[in-house]
Amino acid sequence: MTKATEDPAGHVSDEGPGEIPRHVAVIMDGNGRWAQARGLPRTEGHRRGMESLRRIIRHASGIGVGYLTLYSFSSENWRRPAEEVGFLMSLLRFFIRRDLAELHAERVRIRVIGLREGLAPDIAALLDEAESLTAGNDGLTLVIAFNYGSRAEIAEAVRALAVEVAAGRLDPAAIDSDAIGERLFTAGLPDPDLVIRTSGEQRLSNFLLWQSAYSELVFSPVHWPDFDEARFDEAIREYNARERRFGGVGARQGVR
Ligand code: FPP
Protein backbone atom coordinates (compact mmCIF):
# COMPACT_ATOMS: atom_id res chain seq x y z
CA MET A 1 0.00 0.00 0.00
CA THR A 2 1.48 3.33 -1.04
CA LYS A 3 0.77 6.52 0.83
CA ALA A 4 0.40 10.04 -0.48
CA THR A 5 3.02 12.46 0.73
CA GLU A 6 2.56 16.21 0.85
CA ASP A 7 5.34 18.73 0.51
CA PRO A 8 5.18 21.96 2.58
CA ALA A 9 3.19 23.70 -0.19
CA GLY A 10 0.51 21.01 0.08
CA HIS A 11 1.29 19.39 -3.28
CA VAL A 12 0.56 15.71 -3.36
CA SER A 13 3.23 13.46 -4.77
CA ASP A 14 1.79 10.92 -7.14
CA GLU A 15 2.98 7.41 -6.43
CA GLY A 16 0.37 5.79 -8.69
CA PRO A 17 -3.19 5.03 -7.73
CA GLY A 18 -2.99 1.24 -7.27
CA GLU A 19 -5.92 -0.94 -8.32
CA ILE A 20 -8.39 1.09 -10.38
CA PRO A 21 -12.04 1.03 -9.23
CA ARG A 22 -14.52 0.20 -11.96
CA HIS A 23 -16.89 3.09 -11.22
CA VAL A 24 -15.92 6.41 -9.63
CA ALA A 25 -18.58 9.05 -8.91
CA VAL A 26 -17.69 12.62 -7.99
CA ILE A 27 -19.52 15.42 -6.19
CA MET A 28 -17.63 18.40 -7.60
CA ASP A 29 -18.02 20.87 -4.74
CA GLY A 30 -16.32 24.13 -3.86
CA ASN A 31 -16.31 26.17 -7.08
CA GLY A 32 -17.95 29.11 -5.31
CA ARG A 33 -15.59 29.05 -2.33
CA TRP A 34 -12.58 28.72 -4.63
CA ALA A 35 -13.68 31.92 -6.41
CA GLN A 36 -14.64 33.82 -3.28
CA ALA A 37 -11.26 33.09 -1.70
CA ARG A 38 -9.68 34.85 -4.68
CA GLY A 39 -12.10 37.79 -4.81
CA LEU A 40 -13.55 36.46 -8.06
CA PRO A 41 -17.21 36.02 -9.05
CA ARG A 42 -18.67 32.54 -8.34
CA THR A 43 -19.10 32.05 -12.09
CA GLU A 44 -15.31 32.15 -12.49
CA GLY A 45 -15.14 29.24 -10.03
CA HIS A 46 -17.55 27.27 -12.22
CA ARG A 47 -15.55 28.12 -15.35
CA ARG A 48 -12.39 26.83 -13.68
CA GLY A 49 -14.38 23.85 -12.39
CA MET A 50 -15.21 22.94 -15.98
CA GLU A 51 -11.49 22.85 -16.81
CA SER A 52 -10.97 20.49 -13.85
CA LEU A 53 -13.79 18.32 -15.13
CA ARG A 54 -12.16 18.10 -18.57
CA ARG A 55 -8.80 17.09 -17.07
CA ILE A 56 -10.30 14.49 -14.74
CA ILE A 57 -12.31 12.88 -17.58
CA ARG A 58 -9.11 12.42 -19.63
CA HIS A 59 -7.19 11.15 -16.63
CA ALA A 60 -9.89 8.68 -15.55
CA SER A 61 -10.08 7.38 -19.10
CA GLY A 62 -6.27 7.14 -19.30
CA ILE A 63 -5.85 5.09 -16.12
CA GLY A 64 -8.65 2.67 -17.03
CA VAL A 65 -11.64 3.77 -14.94
CA GLY A 66 -14.66 2.11 -16.56
CA TYR A 67 -17.38 4.51 -15.43
CA LEU A 68 -17.06 8.11 -14.24
CA THR A 69 -20.17 9.84 -12.92
CA LEU A 70 -20.04 13.61 -12.38
CA TYR A 71 -22.66 15.52 -10.39
CA SER A 72 -22.88 18.58 -12.64
CA PHE A 73 -26.25 20.12 -11.75
CA SER A 74 -28.61 18.93 -9.05
CA SER A 75 -32.37 19.31 -9.07
CA GLU A 76 -31.85 21.62 -6.06
CA ASN A 77 -29.41 23.90 -7.93
CA TRP A 78 -32.40 25.72 -9.52
CA ARG A 79 -32.62 27.59 -6.17
CA ARG A 80 -29.46 29.52 -7.01
CA PRO A 81 -29.62 33.04 -8.47
CA ALA A 82 -30.92 33.01 -12.06
CA GLU A 83 -27.63 34.41 -13.34
CA GLU A 84 -25.64 31.52 -11.83
CA VAL A 85 -28.11 28.92 -13.12
CA GLY A 86 -27.89 30.49 -16.58
CA PHE A 87 -24.10 30.38 -16.42
CA LEU A 88 -24.05 26.68 -15.48
CA MET A 89 -26.39 25.95 -18.41
CA SER A 90 -24.08 27.85 -20.76
CA LEU A 91 -21.09 25.92 -19.44
CA LEU A 92 -22.80 22.65 -20.27
CA ARG A 93 -23.54 23.90 -23.80
CA PHE A 94 -19.96 25.06 -24.19
CA PHE A 95 -18.52 21.81 -22.84
CA ILE A 96 -20.56 19.59 -25.15
CA ARG A 97 -20.02 21.73 -28.24
CA ARG A 98 -16.27 21.95 -27.63
CA ASP A 99 -15.52 18.44 -26.37
CA LEU A 100 -18.06 16.06 -27.87
CA ALA A 101 -16.13 15.29 -31.08
CA GLU A 102 -12.90 14.72 -29.17
CA LEU A 103 -14.55 12.52 -26.52
CA HIS A 104 -16.19 10.52 -29.30
CA ALA A 105 -12.79 10.06 -30.98
CA GLU A 106 -11.44 8.82 -27.64
CA ARG A 107 -14.26 6.21 -27.63
CA VAL A 108 -15.96 7.76 -24.58
CA ARG A 109 -19.60 6.74 -24.20
CA ILE A 110 -21.79 9.47 -22.69
CA ARG A 111 -24.87 8.76 -20.55
CA VAL A 112 -26.91 11.54 -19.00
CA ILE A 113 -28.93 10.90 -15.84
CA GLY A 114 -31.54 13.33 -14.53
CA LEU A 115 -34.75 14.89 -15.72
CA ARG A 116 -34.83 16.34 -19.23
CA GLU A 117 -38.05 18.18 -18.34
CA GLY A 118 -37.32 21.70 -17.20
CA LEU A 119 -34.21 22.02 -19.37
CA ALA A 120 -34.10 24.42 -22.31
CA PRO A 121 -34.94 22.54 -25.54
CA ASP A 122 -31.50 23.18 -27.03
CA ILE A 123 -29.79 21.71 -23.94
CA ALA A 124 -32.03 18.64 -23.98
CA ALA A 125 -31.20 18.23 -27.70
CA LEU A 126 -27.45 18.54 -27.03
CA LEU A 127 -27.64 15.89 -24.31
CA ASP A 128 -29.59 13.58 -26.64
CA GLU A 129 -27.01 14.16 -29.37
CA ALA A 130 -24.10 13.39 -27.01
CA GLU A 131 -25.75 10.13 -25.94
CA SER A 132 -26.75 8.94 -29.39
CA LEU A 133 -23.45 9.85 -31.09
CA THR A 134 -21.38 7.98 -28.50
CA ALA A 135 -23.75 5.09 -27.71
CA GLY A 136 -21.63 2.51 -29.56
CA ASN A 137 -18.30 3.48 -27.97
CA ASP A 138 -16.38 1.02 -25.82
CA GLY A 139 -14.10 3.30 -23.76
CA LEU A 140 -14.86 5.17 -20.55
CA THR A 141 -18.56 5.58 -19.81
CA LEU A 142 -18.98 9.21 -18.76
CA VAL A 143 -22.20 9.64 -16.81
CA ILE A 144 -23.27 13.27 -16.54
CA ALA A 145 -25.75 13.82 -13.71
CA PHE A 146 -27.61 16.93 -14.80
CA ASN A 147 -30.88 18.13 -13.27
CA TYR A 148 -30.43 15.02 -11.13
CA GLY A 149 -31.86 14.30 -7.68
CA SER A 150 -31.79 10.86 -6.10
CA ARG A 151 -35.05 11.01 -4.12
CA ALA A 152 -37.03 12.09 -7.20
CA GLU A 153 -35.34 9.29 -9.16
CA ILE A 154 -36.39 6.69 -6.57
CA ALA A 155 -39.91 8.15 -6.34
CA GLU A 156 -40.24 7.91 -10.13
CA ALA A 157 -39.10 4.26 -10.08
CA VAL A 158 -41.64 3.44 -7.35
CA ARG A 159 -44.38 5.22 -9.32
CA ALA A 160 -43.49 3.16 -12.43
CA LEU A 161 -43.76 -0.04 -10.37
CA ALA A 162 -47.13 1.07 -8.95
CA VAL A 163 -48.45 1.68 -12.45
CA GLU A 164 -47.40 -1.81 -13.52
CA VAL A 165 -48.99 -3.37 -10.43
CA ALA A 166 -52.23 -1.39 -10.94
CA ALA A 167 -52.34 -2.55 -14.57
CA GLY A 168 -51.99 -6.18 -13.45
CA ARG A 169 -48.65 -6.62 -15.24
CA LEU A 170 -46.55 -6.99 -12.09
CA ASP A 171 -47.00 -9.09 -8.95
CA PRO A 172 -46.11 -6.99 -5.85
CA ALA A 173 -44.26 -10.06 -4.53
CA ALA A 174 -41.84 -9.70 -7.46
CA ILE A 175 -40.68 -6.24 -6.33
CA ASP A 176 -37.10 -6.56 -5.10
CA SER A 177 -33.94 -4.40 -5.23
CA ASP A 178 -33.31 -5.36 -8.85
CA ALA A 179 -36.85 -4.31 -9.82
CA ILE A 180 -36.17 -0.86 -8.36
CA GLY A 181 -32.61 -0.63 -9.75
CA GLU A 182 -33.86 -1.44 -13.27
CA ARG A 183 -36.21 1.57 -13.12
CA LEU A 184 -33.65 4.13 -11.99
CA PHE A 185 -31.87 6.51 -14.43
CA THR A 186 -28.77 4.39 -13.82
CA ALA A 187 -30.31 1.14 -15.10
CA GLY A 188 -27.59 -1.00 -16.65
CA LEU A 189 -24.73 0.87 -14.95
CA PRO A 190 -22.73 -0.78 -12.15
CA ASP A 191 -22.99 0.80 -8.70
CA PRO A 192 -20.16 3.21 -7.87
CA ASP A 193 -17.25 1.63 -6.02
CA LEU A 194 -15.93 5.01 -4.91
CA VAL A 195 -17.74 8.31 -4.33
CA ILE A 196 -15.45 11.32 -4.00
CA ARG A 197 -16.65 14.67 -2.63
CA THR A 198 -14.34 17.64 -2.82
CA SER A 199 -14.19 20.77 -0.71
CA GLY A 200 -14.43 19.26 2.77
CA GLU A 201 -18.21 18.75 3.03
CA GLN A 202 -19.11 15.25 4.19
CA ARG A 203 -22.57 14.44 2.86
CA LEU A 204 -24.18 12.94 -0.26
CA SER A 205 -26.56 15.84 -1.07
CA ASN A 206 -29.18 13.68 -2.83
CA PHE A 207 -26.59 12.00 -5.10
CA LEU A 208 -26.89 8.29 -6.00
CA LEU A 209 -28.48 7.41 -2.64
CA TRP A 210 -29.65 3.98 -3.76
CA GLN A 211 -26.61 3.18 -5.87
CA SER A 212 -24.00 4.11 -3.24
CA ALA A 213 -25.30 1.69 -0.58
CA TYR A 214 -21.90 -0.06 -0.49
CA SER A 215 -19.66 2.60 -2.02
CA GLU A 216 -16.56 3.82 -0.27
CA LEU A 217 -16.80 7.55 0.41
CA VAL A 218 -13.66 9.67 0.16
CA PHE A 219 -13.73 13.33 1.13
CA SER A 220 -11.02 15.62 -0.19
CA PRO A 221 -10.40 19.02 1.42
CA VAL A 222 -9.51 20.53 -1.96
CA HIS A 223 -11.98 22.78 -3.83
CA TRP A 224 -13.01 21.27 -7.17
CA PRO A 225 -11.09 23.74 -9.40
CA ASP A 226 -7.87 22.63 -7.63
CA PHE A 227 -8.73 18.92 -7.75
CA ASP A 228 -6.16 17.55 -10.20
CA GLU A 229 -4.93 14.20 -11.43
CA ALA A 230 -2.72 13.66 -8.37
CA ARG A 231 -5.67 14.30 -6.03
CA PHE A 232 -7.78 11.84 -8.01
CA ASP A 233 -5.08 9.19 -7.65
CA GLU A 234 -4.80 10.01 -3.95
CA ALA A 235 -8.54 9.34 -3.52
CA ILE A 236 -8.11 5.98 -5.28
CA ARG A 237 -5.22 5.11 -2.97
CA GLU A 238 -7.46 5.87 0.02
CA TYR A 239 -10.14 3.65 -1.55
CA ASN A 240 -7.58 0.86 -1.95
CA ALA A 241 -6.67 1.12 1.74
CA ARG A 242 -10.28 0.37 2.73
CA GLU A 243 -11.67 -3.12 3.20
CA ARG A 244 -15.02 -3.58 1.47
CA ARG A 245 -17.15 -6.16 3.25
CA PHE A 246 -20.64 -5.72 1.67
CA GLY A 247 -22.19 -6.78 5.00
CA GLY A 248 -19.92 -9.81 5.40
CA VAL A 249 -16.98 -10.26 7.76
CA GLY A 250 -14.18 -9.55 5.29
CA ALA A 251 -11.13 -11.53 4.25
CA ARG A 252 -8.82 -10.09 6.91
CA GLN A 253 -10.96 -11.33 9.83
CA GLY A 254 -11.56 -14.90 8.73
CA VAL A 255 -14.05 -17.16 10.52
CA ARG A 256 -13.95 -17.58 14.28
C1 FPP B 1 -20.41 23.02 -6.70
O1 FPP B 1 -19.75 24.21 -6.40
C2 FPP B 1 -20.51 22.81 -8.14
C3 FPP B 1 -21.67 22.88 -8.85
C4 FPP B 1 -22.95 23.26 -8.29
C5 FPP B 1 -21.72 22.59 -10.26
C6 FPP B 1 -20.59 21.79 -10.83
C7 FPP B 1 -20.20 22.42 -12.06
C8 FPP B 1 -18.98 22.35 -12.62
C9 FPP B 1 -17.87 21.53 -12.09
C10 FPP B 1 -18.69 23.14 -13.82
C11 FPP B 1 -18.80 22.32 -15.06
C12 FPP B 1 -20.19 22.14 -15.37
C13 FPP B 1 -20.70 21.61 -16.46
C14 FPP B 1 -22.14 21.60 -16.56
C15 FPP B 1 -19.92 21.04 -17.60
P1 FPP B 1 -20.51 25.25 -5.46
O2 FPP B 1 -20.91 26.40 -6.31
O3 FPP B 1 -21.60 24.57 -4.73
O4 FPP B 1 -19.36 25.66 -4.49
P2 FPP B 1 -19.53 26.28 -3.03
O5 FPP B 1 -20.11 25.19 -2.17
O6 FPP B 1 -18.14 26.64 -2.66
O7 FPP B 1 -20.43 27.46 -3.17
Side-chain angles (χ1 to χ4, degrees):
M1 173 48 215
T2 55
K3 204 172 179 315
T5 48
E6 273 189 27
D7 68 18
H11 298 120
V12 177
S13 84
D14 192 354
E15 301 169 27
E19 196 179 319
I20 305 300
R22 184 173 183 211
H23 184 174
V24 180
V26 189
I27 303 174
M28 308 179 290
D29 196 13
N31 294 346
R33 277 165 285 166
W34 181 93
Q36 275 157 1
R38 287 160 180 76
L40 298 168
R42 292 176 55 81
T43 47
E44 182 58 17
H46 293 316
R47 201 185 61 72
R48 288 290 297 262
M50 184 187 62
E51 297 307 327
S52 254
L53 168 145
R54 298 179 74 223
R55 280 198 313 272
I56 293 298
I57 294 169
R58 265 63 178 194
H59 181 61
S61 170
I63 63 174
V65 171
Y67 299 79
L68 177 70
T69 299
L70 300 174
Y71 203 8
S72 305
F73 190 86
S74 81
S75 41
E76 286 73 39
N77 285 155
W78 294 106
R79 298 184 194 137
R80 296 186 175 209
E83 190 207 339
E84 187 173 338
V85 170
F87 191 85
L88 286 166
M89 296 294 157
S90 301
L91 271 186
L92 180 71
R93 281 189 191 96
F94 184 69
F95 167 67
I96 292 184
R97 288 194 188 123
R98 182 172 64 171
D99 285 48
L100 181 58
E102 195 183 313
L103 291 170
H104 182 42
E106 290 163 7
R107 314 192 67 79
V108 172
R109 179 171 61 135
I110 297 177
R111 270 275 293 266
V112 183
I113 57 171
L115 281 175
R116 293 287 208 279
E117 293 102 82
L119 297 177
D122 74 303
I123 296 223
L126 271 177
L127 296 177
D128 289 345
E129 184 195 340
E131 283 191 316
S132 54
L133 177 70
T134 62
N137 287 345
D138 57 6
L140 171 78
T141 297
L142 171 64
V143 184
I144 302 175
F146 202 84
N147 197 20
Y148 174 84
S150 202
R151 286 184 171 180
E153 174 189 40
I154 294 168
E156 185 54 43
V158 170
R159 194 177 306 125
L161 287 167
V163 167
E164 289 173 57
V165 169
R169 293 194 303 269
L170 181 68
D171 179 354
I175 298 177
D176 56 11
S177 314
D178 286 347
I180 295 177
E182 285 159 13
R183 287 160 181 84
L184 299 174
F185 291 128
T186 49
L189 300 172
D191 287 341
D193 302 289
L194 166 62
V195 176
I196 302 170
R197 183 171 188 147
T198 62
S199 206
E201 307 291 349
Q202 302 197 354
R203 56 178 171 270
L204 284 173
S205 299
N206 207 15
F207 182 54
L208 302 181
L209 300 181
W210 177 275
Q211 299 87 340
S212 63
Y214 289 103
S215 305
E216 294 297 330
L217 310 181
V218 169
F219 301 102
S220 170
V222 173
H223 295 317
W224 176 250
D226 287 333
F227 192 85
D228 60 10
E229 294 88 337
R231 294 287 183 179
F232 190 82
D233 289 357
E234 183 189 26
I236 296 179
R237 281 197 296 274
E238 189 170 336
Y239 162 84
N240 278 319
R242 308 265 180 91
E243 186 192 19
R244 301 185 74 194
R245 291 200 290 273
F246 299 98
V249 290
R252 285 176 210 163
Q253 272 172 272
V255 181
R256 273 195 270 186

